[in-house]
Structure formats: structure tokens, C-alpha cells
Amino acid sequence: MSLPRISIALALALGSSVTLAADPDQVIRQSLKSLDANLPIEAIAESPMTGIYQVQLEGGRQLYTSADGQFLIQGYLFQVKDGKAVNLTEIEESRAVAQQINAIPAKEMVVFAPKDPKTHITVFTDTDCGYCQKLHSEVPELNRLGVEVRYVAFPRQGMNSPAAKELASVWCSKDRQAAMNLAKTRQPVPEATCDNPVAKQYQLGQMIGVNGTPAIVLANGKLIPGYQPAPQLAKIALESND
């Protein structure tokens, strides 16, 4: 979930004189907004590292700043624990992503579920993506292994692409599963229109760092870019419940 690199010129702007307010939240917001008035700040809180605050952006991405807002850190924060380096940034980002993804109503997805699912994955998918089609051919195997597959839409060529129109037809079909099966086997999907979540899901994918398909989000919010064979993917998915 990489954040576009902030230019050195803008970063130096943080070094300008800032009066420390009683509430670090306010002065940090002021400093960051001076860089980008549209920066989507979700929350600011003290980080586990003394004197450093973590800034959560929409989509779950994390930045770190000093209490006076004059120093900005972009990257991973690790904690050395029991001789191992724990990636605290990745944990926080995954937690935030899981919260957003798991809040998507089932009625807004195309779901292929086994009778007694042990876990689930959420797949940002396109219709004309070869590896998406390969993954879809293995959905029965994933179901057999206890993994529920939840599809959300991500037309990787944008909302004006033919795939976006086809995804809308899938979501507007009376039988979404059947329509998805057609799309994934390169058969024509009957055109259909309705109020659908394709644009909203595409925007969500961009926000959490999806830049290609398939993009797989585990139950714990960890993002796996690209295709994984069913046995390997099921193993990873089931371990994400631990």
C-alpha cells in the first residue's frame, strides 16, 4: 500500500516555524494540510514510539510525524520484540483495510460460498483479466477447502472501459453468480443496468492500494496482489484467521 512519494520541496515545507498547540492533533493536521489541502486524514494518535504520532489516511495508509508537525516520516515502523522485528505499520494498515472491506454488505458483492466456510477472501476483480479468470476456475476448489470467495469490482482500465460496463451488467443480473461465470469464461454477459456499486468499489480499491487484478484481501485485511494457486491461497487464507 505505497503512498506516492512526497517531493523534497514539499517535505521541506514542514520545517517552517509552527507554533505547538496544546493539542498535537490540531498542529499536525495544520502542517499536513499545508502540504495538501485534500489529504484524506482519518485519525491521528500517539504511536508506540515515544514522541511520534501516527496519522491514518483513508484506505488505511499510515504516516508518522513529530508532535509539532515539523517532521514527517513515510515508511514502516518496526518494533523489536523477542529478537524479531514486528512491522507495526503493516499491522495497523491491515486492521484498517479489514474494517472497511468486511463492512461491505453481502448484497453488494458476488459471493461463492461453501456450506460451512472457515474463512473468506475478498477479491477485487475485472472481467477481461486472464489471471482473474484462472482464479475463478479454482473457486470450487477454494470452496471445498473452506474458503468463501467474495467478489468486488475493479475495472482496472477505469470507469469508462468496456470491462466497467460488463461488470455493471454482472452486478445488475438477476443471477450474479451465473453472470460472473459467463464473464470469467469469456462468454457474453447479457447487458443490464441498475443502481450498482461498481464505481464505489473501484474507488475503494484505489484508496487501499489496489493497482491491478486480481487483488485479494484476506479476512485480516492483508492485501495479496496477483493470482495464487488454490491450495496455496487457501492455506494463507486459513492462517489469516489465527
Side-chain angles (χ1 to χ4, degrees):
M1 301 178 206
S2 61
L3 184 70
R5 293 291 174 185
I6 297 174
S7 69
I8 294 176
L10 287 177
L12 289 175
L14 283 174
S16 61
S17 177
V18 178
T19 302
L20 182 60
D23 182 5
D25 182 288
Q26 296 177 12
V27 72
I28 290 171
R29 286 180 186 272
Q30 181 182 351
S31 291
L32 293 179
K33 290 295 185 181
S34 72
L35 292 180
D36 183 352
N38 297 315
L39 195 67
I41 298 173
E42 188 87 358
I44 297 174
E46 291 185 64
S47 80
M49 186 175 179
T50 304
I52 300 297
Y53 283 72
Q54 62 187 45
V55 180
Q56 180 178 311
L57 305 180
E58 287 182 13
R61 296 169 297 174
Q62 306 284 318
L63 296 175
Y64 300 94
T65 77
S66 56
D68 61 8
Q70 293 190 43
F71 296 90
L72 175 65
I73 302 169
Q74 180 188 332
Y76 292 126
L77 176 64
F78 291 88
Q79 179 182 17
V80 178
K81 191 173 183 180
D82 299 327
K84 296 181 179 180
V86 179
N87 191 331
L88 299 180
T89 305
E90 189 175 73
I91 290 171
E92 284 299 312
E93 290 182 342
S94 293
R95 179 195 59 77
V97 168
Q99 191 174 39
Q100 294 176 82
I101 295 296
N102 294 334
I104 301 174
K107 66 181 181 180
E108 293 185 3
M109 299 184 286
V110 182
V111 181
F112 292 81
K115 184 177 179 181
D116 297 304
K118 298 174 183 177
T119 190
H120 66 268
I121 59 173
T122 304
V123 182
F124 284 85
T125 195
D126 206 346
T127 55
D128 61 355
C129 153
Y131 278 109
C132 297
Q133 293 159 359
K134 184 173 178 60
L135 176 63
H136 187 72
S137 71
E138 298 178 8
V139 166
E141 176 67 4
L142 288 166
N143 284 172
R144 188 186 69 78
L145 294 169
V147 181
E148 177 178 288
V149 179
R150 304 173 176 180
Y151 280 121
V152 290
F154 192 83
R156 65 193 192 284
Q157 298 300 325
M159 287 305 300
N160 293 321
S161 65
K165 183 178 180 181
E166 188 170 42
L167 283 165
S169 291
V170 170
W171 257 257
C172 293
S173 298
K174 291 182 179 179
D175 187 338
R176 289 182 184 174
Q177 287 189 345
M180 185 66 80
N181 288 336
L182 288 174
K184 296 299 187 182
T185 52
R186 299 182 183 274
Q187 298 181 65
V189 178
E191 188 173 337
T193 58
C194 67
D195 184 15
N196 65 78
V198 172
K200 181 172 66 173
Q201 292 174 0
Y202 177 60
Q203 183 179 26
L204 174 61
Q206 291 179 307
M207 208 163 53
I208 68 171
V210 174
N211 52 29
T213 54
I216 303 160
V217 183
L218 305 179
N220 65 2
K222 184 175 180 179
L223 178 63
I224 300 176
Y227 164 81
Q228 298 280 340
Q232 181 178 331
L233 179 56
K235 183 176 182 295
I236 297 171
L238 290 167
E239 288 174 350
S240 72
N241 285 349
D242 297 339

